[in-house]
Amino acid sequence: MESLLLSVLMTILVPLGIGILLVYIIFKRRYTYWDNFDIAVKRPQFPYGSLGNPFNKTASGHVTVADAYNSFKRSNQKHGGIYVYFTPLYLPVDPVIIKNILIKDFNYFSDRAAYYNKKHDPLSFNLVTAGGQDWKDMRYKLTPLFTISKLKLICPLLQIHNERFVKKIDDYVRRMEPAEINDLTGCLTTDIIVSCSLGVECNSMEHPNTDFRKFGKRLFHFTPFRLLKATFTRGFPKLARYLGLVVFPKDVSDFFMNIVDEVFDYRTKNNAKYNDFFQSLMELQKNETNERVKKTNIATQALLLFTAGFETTSSTLTLAIYELGCNLEIQEKLRKEVSSVLEKHNGKLSYEALMEMEYLDRVTDETLRKYPSLPISIRKCIQDYRVEGTNLVIQKGVKVCISILGIHRDPEYYPDPEVFDPERFTEINKSKRPPCTYLPFLDGPRNCIGYCLQSRVSSESHES
Ligand code: HEM
């Protein structure tokens, strides 16, 4: 009996052990990728790579990437190599290399290598995830939605939501109650994006449990399982598509599709026209004959605005308010500017009035310097690329990681980087820094398309 058990165990355990050993050897070999190049490397730890165990550490992944940036910089390196799990990533430090990657040689790095699944999750194939010609076509069509003139059209909407935000804060002040600012800026951003992109009034400022708020929170709630799935889909996109893994949970996509259905049908039947993104999205689709495709395309872009614009804007607002609370002199200086400009404009917070608030811009810029909403950006090299001034050739398929946080906290460009100092952004001080050392919206053809919209949304609300 005992020998039978032993032989069964041996039949299972030996092949299993050999299997594990083989997998270990194969994957461990991937950690030698950068050894083939003359480049500094942040040593990996099996199986997590250079960033360490994501479940057992005090610093998040982007902080570890910034640490790698710092260590390469300290040892006077222009760049270095890191590993995220088993994937080698190129990490540039020299701003000239970064500028070439983002702007001059953009054609080598136009893809973001983000995961989408057209078949099982059509809304996931959008401007952020698409690559190559698909991305170029989408960007070409969507760019006219983000011009200053379009922005001016939605300014009255921004003003309505801003007034509600101010009233809410006033209520807390009158009741002498502490306010959960993160929740309030979340509601404000939700209301603005939903009314601009879907033409729907959700007023989560008054009703914080609206479906939009609920689904919005779910979109940005990353459980360990979701993080694991995201890592898997990024590392093995083909297999993930084959397995039918999706980006957006089905109930979230269904919810957005239903809203788009309703708004589209209402506007078509009543021939109703509004000054919002939804209207522009409908116009973009006017030559599409298949109604389902038309609605799916609109829902894709509306959900994209929500996912790309929500967390970035609301967290920036929260952190600006936090810094103004910690730095009373800066708060006072800002208050004086706002009051004097408003006085000139008869108390009306117009687009023109906002344009005159220079100190407000500096406060926003410094907030995004200290706390970039996207601390890293990933690009994929789509053809072999020689890095200027070096012998290194980045091979096709290798990913590039720009540490925006590392650059923004680099004492060479920003002395005492932990100090919140809007004066870093006077015209004269800005002109002293080399290009590509301030990248909250990235740079080049694939920068943030919402740049001009976001700066106004944030400004209106700091104003309160
Ligand atoms: C504080 C607010 C914001 C910040 C800091 C920010 C930052 C960024 C950054 C850094 C990127 C480049 C990402 C990368 O390449 O890895 C990006 C892309 C993008 N952003 Fe923003 N963003 C903000 C607000 C918005 C808003 C309000 C919208 C739209 C309503 C928006 C829409 C987009 C889109 C669609 C892209 C992808 C562009 C493309 O691939 O062509 N963003 N954003």
Side-chain angles (χ1 to χ4, degrees):
M1 185 67 191
E2 249 178 46
S3 65
L4 183 65
L5 190 67
L6 197 67
S7 86
V8 170
L9 277 178
M10 291 299 281
T11 335
I12 296 169
L13 287 183
V14 171
L16 190 71
I18 293 174
I20 291 173
L21 191 68
L22 274 178
V23 170
Y24 177 77
I25 292 169
I26 290 168
F27 280 113
K28 195 86 181 161
R29 277 198 58 192
R30 296 195 68 165
Y31 287 154
T32 58
Y33 179 83
W34 287 120
D35 297 352
N36 305 318
F37 302 88
D38 181 19
I39 190 172
V41 180
K42 180 151 167 74
R43 284 287 146 216
Q45 175 196 341
F46 183 88
Y48 309 111
S50 312
L51 307 188
N53 180 352
F55 302 106
N56 172 30
K57 60 181 179 169
T58 45
S60 54
H62 57 256
V63 174
T64 332
V65 172
D67 287 347
Y69 169 98
N70 288 333
S71 72
F72 295 147
K73 175 109 189 189
R74 272 196 305 273
S75 47
N76 286 324
Q77 303 294 324
K78 287 182 169 194
H79 48 206
I82 59 170
Y83 297 90
V84 175
Y85 291 92
F86 300 105
T87 309
L89 272 86
Y90 171 72
L91 182 71
V93 172
D94 182 345
V96 175
I97 298 179
I98 295 173
K99 187 173 151 215
N100 289 346
I101 287 174
L102 293 178
I103 305 169
K104 182 169 141 287
D105 301 321
F106 170 75
N107 284 340
Y108 291 82
F109 301 98
S110 57
D111 285 9
R112 195 172 274 133
Y115 178 72
Y116 58 84
N117 187 335
K118 262 186 186 175
K119 188 175 163 200
H120 298 97
D121 184 8
L123 303 197
S124 65
F125 185 59
N126 57 34
L127 188 66
V128 169
T129 55
Q133 196 57 40
D134 288 323
W135 168 75
K136 279 190 190 144
D137 293 345
M138 281 188 210
R139 180 93 187 195
Y140 179 74
K141 283 189 191 155
L142 289 172
T143 298
L145 268 65
F146 294 89
T147 56
I148 298 284
S149 55
K150 291 270 181 204
L151 184 56
K152 281 186 179 173
L153 290 178
I154 60 161
C155 260
L157 268 179
L158 300 188
Q159 223 162 305
I160 294 172
H161 293 292
N162 188 49
E163 277 162 18
R164 289 185 188 157
F165 181 68
V166 176
K167 186 178 163 300
K168 197 80 186 167
I169 302 262
D170 274 351
D171 288 348
Y172 278 99
V173 173
R174 221 173 302 116
R175 294 197 305 265
M176 307 270 281
E177 267 178 28
E180 185 54 71
I181 286 295
N182 206 22
D183 270 350
L184 294 183
T185 56
C187 290
L188 172 71
T189 319
T190 304
D191 290 353
I192 292 177
I193 295 185
V194 168
S195 65
C196 292
S197 61
L198 290 165
V200 174
E201 165 77 7
C202 79
N203 200 358
S204 60
M205 191 64 75
E206 285 310 319
H207 310 286
N209 295 324
T210 55
D211 281 345
F212 281 107
R213 202 60 192 112
K214 207 171 76 193
F215 285 117
K217 278 184 185 164
R218 279 206 45 210
L219 273 178
F220 296 98
H221 181 61
F222 285 93
T223 57
F225 175 70
R226 256 189 100 187
L227 280 177
L228 213 61
K229 195 172 95 176
T231 309
F232 180 77
T233 52
R234 219 172 292 136
F236 308 95
K238 283 191 185 141
L239 179 60
R241 272 181 210 123
Y242 177 76
L243 294 173
L245 296 186
V246 296
V247 177
F248 298 119
K250 180 144 176 17
D251 55 341
V252 176
S253 314
D254 287 351
F255 174 72
F256 269 82
M257 270 312 291
N258 289 339
I259 299 279
V260 168
D261 257 349
E262 278 175 32
V263 179
F264 184 91
D265 290 346
Y266 173 83
R267 291 192 183 189
T268 313
K269 269 187 210 127
N270 297 288
N271 200 16
K273 298 242 183 305
Y274 294 79
N275 284 331
D276 59 16
F277 281 107
F278 197 93
Q279 199 66 40
S280 309
L281 291 174
M282 280 179 77
E283 268 148 36
L284 277 183
Q285 295 299 320
K286 66 176 185 264
N287 296 330
E288 174 61 62
T289 46
N290 182 325
E291 187 148 304
R292 194 75 324 245
V293 174
K294 206 181 242 192
K295 287 178 174 172
T296 305
N297 288 346
I298 295 175
T300 303
Q301 306 309 348
L303 182 55
L304 163 75
L305 298 186
F306 196 76
T307 46
F310 171 71
E311 185 67 21
T312 43
T313 309
S314 74
S315 65
T316 305
L317 270 173
T318 303
L319 292 159
I321 293 170
Y322 167 74
E323 286 291 351
L324 289 175
C326 297
N327 297 281
L328 296 182
E329 267 176 37
I330 296 174
Q331 191 187 129
E332 199 40 46
K333 188 168 173 188
L334 180 59
R335 194 184 302 281
K336 277 195 186 133
E337 175 185 82
V338 170
S339 309
S340 88
V341 174
L342 281 186
E343 214 174 284
K344 237 173 88 189
H345 288 263
N346 301 323
K348 198 166 176 293
L349 183 59
S350 60
Y351 178 82
E352 288 70 24
L354 280 169
M355 286 295 132
E356 282 179 35
M357 298 181 187
E358 284 173 15
Y359 191 62
L360 181 60
D361 270 350
R362 280 185 234 157
V363 170
T364 309
D365 287 349
E366 175 64 348
T367 307
L368 283 165
R369 196 264 322 156
K370 199 170 167 191
Y371 310 104
S373 315
L374 295 183
I376 55 168
S377 174
I378 307 285
R379 292 297 162 85
K380 186 166 134 189
C381 179
I382 55 177
Q383 48 179 307
D384 286 2
Y385 172 79
R386 178 177 294 279
V387 178
E388 197 181 287
T390 74
N391 291 327
L392 178 73
V393 173
I394 304 176
Q395 291 176 320
K396 179 179 169 186
V398 167
K399 289 175 187 163
V400 173
C401 175
I402 313 259
S403 174
I404 301 175
L405 183 71
I407 298 167
H408 285 194
R409 304 266 181 121
D410 185 333
E412 182 186 338
Y413 313 125
Y414 303 99
D416 296 323
E418 300 302 320
V419 173
F420 185 81
D421 178 10
E423 298 310 314
R424 300 180 200 273
F425 289 92
T426 57
E427 288 308 316
I428 199 137
N429 284 341
K430 280 200 276 187
S431 69
K432 286 181 194 154
R433 286 187 287 269
C436 286
T437 50
Y438 183 61
L439 294 168
F441 301 99
L442 229 63
D443 210 334
R446 205 154 186 181
N447 68 347
C448 173
I449 202 173
Y451 173 43
C452 77
L453 173 65
Q454 100 68 32
S455 49
R456 287 308 106 205
V457 173
S458 300
S459 300
E460 291 227 1
S461 315
H462 291 192
E463 233 274 350
S464 8

